[in-house]
Amino acid sequence: MTRLFGVIGHPITHSLSPAMHAAALRALKLDALYSAFDVPPKFLRPMLKALWLSGVEGLNVTVPLKEAVIPLLDRVDPGARAIGAVNTIVRRGKRTIGYNTDGIGFRRALADLGWRARPGHAVILGAGGAARAVAWELAQVRGMRLTIANRHLERARRLARWLTRQRRGVEVSATTLRAVRLQDAALLVNATTVGMRASDRLPIDPAQLRRGLLVYDLIYHRRTPLVDAACRRGCVAAHGLSMLLYQGAESLRLWLRRAPPIGVMRRALEQAVR
Ligand SMILES: NC(=O)c1ccc[n+]([C@@H]2O[C@H](COP(=O)([O-])OP(=O)(O)OC[C@H]3O[C@@H](n4cnc5c(N)ncnc54)[C@H](OP(=O)(O)O)[C@@H]3O)[C@@H](O)[C@H]2O)c1
């Protein structure tokens, strides 16, 4: 029988997940389909029920359903519960289990750039859902000092307070994008949406970018002005396609319990963004 997987969100037409996962399922020679389902938030409960009844085995969850889906699951992995967002649902028998694979995706993307988890200062631009997942992941590193810089300071402060409550002992401060200072930072992560539009400028003053700083921009649609500026100024820098790849690969591993075909998935993603 054909195995069924998919992604739910609203809207969903922009999602790159179908291209990546369909290529992976083909490469693994599985009789399986991966589809995109447009699920308006008010229909989440009945649509989810219908998908389980149709035999769907696994789902990715994207904006704006990552939080809303949590109370509808039988079990939620502690990391996803702490972050308050699920991006992967696995169905085992009749039970549904929620995970968040963004953190592991982020970590593997950094590892590709040569980043090693060690004590140091990391600056995260942004304080939304993606910043929360990144901050959570970085806070697992012993001795890590974090600065959350956001356009609206209060939101950065809220994220910093949340992280301090969740991870006792982690040093977190909050500031604005204008006031952020990178002198002693080893890692800069852009988790704002600045750079998504062709007309966007940089979220910070590029004069602060210097050799030795690792810059990761979560935006995956294109190489952003921040990544371009960072490369010009001698930083190691990349945009978010690799994180998208690795979070998807981890979803696939959770569904199938086997190694995902990373090369095939990467090529499918690169083709889809082009
Ligand atoms: N590569 C991946 O796998 C991956 C995974 C998840 C997300 N992402 C990307 O990460 C980005 C953030 O996603 P999200 O879910 O965290 O979004 P979100 O919750 O809506 O947060 C948006 C963030 O961007 C900031 N922002 C928006 N417009 C701004 C502007 N004009 N100037 C300065 N800051 C601005 C917001 O600041 P305020 O609080 O001040 O409004 C907030 O910090 C998106 O581009 C998304 O595509 C990538």
Side-chain angles (χ1 to χ4, degrees):
M1 206 168 72
T2 305
R3 301 174 67 177
L4 302 172
F5 302 90
V7 55
I8 56 171
H10 181 71
I12 198 66
T13 39
H14 64 281
S15 176
L16 299 176
S17 294
M20 168 171 59
H21 286 294
L25 295 170
R26 262 196 315 275
L28 293 170
K29 297 191 174 18
L30 292 175
D31 178 11
L33 287 175
Y34 185 101
S35 307
F37 302 98
D38 194 323
V39 178
K42 64 178 176 183
F43 297 130
L44 176 59
R45 185 185 287 270
M47 292 276 286
L48 210 50
K49 201 167 168 192
L51 289 168
W52 301 142
L53 282 172
S54 326
V56 168
E57 281 180 55
L59 287 173
N60 284 127
V61 184
T62 186
V63 190
L65 308 174
K66 289 182 176 189
E67 293 88 16
V69 85
I70 289 180
L72 307 178
L73 302 174
D74 294 315
R75 194 162 79 72
V76 177
D77 171 74
R81 188 166 294 285
I83 297 166
V86 157
N87 76 343
T88 303
I89 308 176
V90 181
R91 193 148 182 254
R92 300 248 185 264
K94 290 202 162 159
R95 287 177 64 75
T96 51
I97 310 158
Y99 296 88
N100 192 311
T101 64
D102 279 340
I104 195 163
F106 172 68
R107 206 164 0 111
R108 286 189 187 153
L110 287 191
D112 273 2
L113 296 177
W115 187 77
R116 296 287 167 265
R118 63 168 79 99
H121 181 204
V123 175
I124 301 170
L125 309 178
R132 179 181 282 247
V134 163
W136 171 262
E137 200 58 36
L138 291 174
Q140 317 295 316
V141 179
R142 193 180 288 275
M144 182 60 76
R145 190 158 56 83
L146 292 175
T147 299
I148 316 280
N150 198 45
R151 176 177 55 175
H152 294 103
L153 178 60
E154 187 40 42
R155 204 170 174 198
R157 285 187 172 141
R158 264 206 308 274
L159 179 51
R161 279 197 297 272
W162 168 81
L163 201 57
T164 314
R165 270 198 312 274
Q166 295 285 334
R167 306 281 309 168
R168 298 271 168 215
V170 65
E171 198 185 319
V172 198
S173 58
T175 186
T176 60
L177 290 176
R178 282 169 195 271
V180 70
R181 293 290 169 266
L182 302 179
Q183 295 101 319
D184 65 341
L187 173 66
L188 172 70
V189 181
N190 179 36
T192 73
T193 50
V194 180
M196 282 181 85
R197 286 167 298 270
S199 57
D200 281 352
R201 295 182 175 192
L202 276 79
I204 52 153
D205 176 4
Q208 295 207 56
L209 302 167
R210 45 154 181 80
R211 189 175 291 278
L213 181 68
L214 199 150
V215 178
Y216 194 74
D217 194 332
L218 261 60
I219 291 171
Y220 51 77
H221 312 84
R222 62 199 193 88
R223 210 181 132 102
T224 59
L226 175 64
V227 172
D228 284 339
C231 290
R232 274 199 305 274
R233 296 186 68 88
C235 309
V236 172
H239 74 313
L241 204 68
S242 50
M243 175 172 164
L244 190 70
L245 165 71
Y246 289 121
Q247 63 77 31
E250 180 61 13
S251 300
L252 201 70
R253 197 190 60 75
L254 287 166
W255 296 326
L256 303 177
R257 300 200 236 216
R258 61 190 281 190
I262 296 283
V264 168
M265 295 172 84
R266 189 192 304 274
R267 281 191 293 281
L269 264 185
E270 284 168 355
Q271 204 172 348
V273 279
R274 269 204 298 276

